[in-house]
Amino acid sequence: MPRPLGDLEDAVMTRVWQWNRPVTVREVLEDLQQERSIAYTTVMTVMDNLHQKGWLRREHEGRAYRYEAVSTRPAYAAALMHEAWAASDNPAAALVQFFSMMSPEQREALRDASRIVQPEAPPDGTDAPGQGTGSGAPPAGPGEGGGR
């Protein structure tokens, strides 16, 4: 199960996700040094830790490693949200609280995502073509259920 990344872990993963290609410790170090003073060994340790935790995979290239993300940032964020929601003793209340914290833009993104995952029913209230009973199961074939 994922846990929130620490500040430096997040800074490293942000670069790996943004660049979307295998990267070296040196490349990440040089980019981080534009914002803060940081040692090569610190970045190397963080990237090795992220590898050990399963967030980065690596391949040897000469005397160094090239690291790349195992998963995407959206998948990471979704896993964190899922874990937090699953830990709630009242999932409905947790969702209400979560939704109340959202900006109008975030609520619109939620509506868009919901339409992708679960297309809207036709306005007449009938099931969409090919959707059977709406139960998620295919319609019963001859001799299967329904005729008892």
Side-chain angles (χ1 to χ4, degrees):
M1 285 190 222
R3 64 163 185 75
L5 295 171
D7 289 341
L8 188 52
E9 289 174 323
D10 185 64
V12 168
M13 288 303 300
T14 294
R15 281 148 180 86
V16 175
W17 281 320
Q18 285 175 343
W19 296 340
N20 196 28
R21 62 175 173 76
V23 299
T24 64
V25 171
R26 176 78 49 206
E27 290 173 303
V28 174
L29 170 72
E30 289 172 358
D31 200 60
L32 286 169
Q33 285 179 330
Q34 294 177 30
E35 299 171 2
R36 61 178 102 178
S37 177
I38 191 165
Y40 179 92
T41 54
T42 301
V43 177
M44 182 179 66
T45 299
V46 168
M47 292 179 78
D48 183 62
N49 289 344
L50 288 166
H51 168 72
Q52 298 300 323
K53 293 175 184 179
W55 287 105
L56 295 174
R57 70 177 136 252
R58 67 185 181 194
E59 282 191 32
H60 242 110
E61 186 174 284
R63 292 178 29 204
Y65 285 108
R66 283 212 174 262
Y67 293 85
E68 63 184 316
V70 170
S71 184
T72 64
R73 183 178 278 280
Y76 164 72
L80 286 176
M81 289 186 288
H82 182 267
E83 183 178 334
W85 189 41
S88 174
D89 60 352
N90 188 340
L95 282 175
V96 168
Q97 289 295 316
F98 180 63
F99 295 158
S100 71
M101 295 177 194
M102 292 177 143
S103 69
E105 295 80 16
Q106 290 170 322
R107 285 192 292 277
E108 184 60 30
L110 177 64
R111 282 189 287 276
D112 291 345
S114 181
R115 283 190 286 272
I116 291 168
V117 172
Q118 183 178 10
E120 293 180 26
D124 64 2
T126 62
D127 289 328
Q131 295 300 311
T133 63
S135 66
E144 296 177 9
R148 296 178 203 216

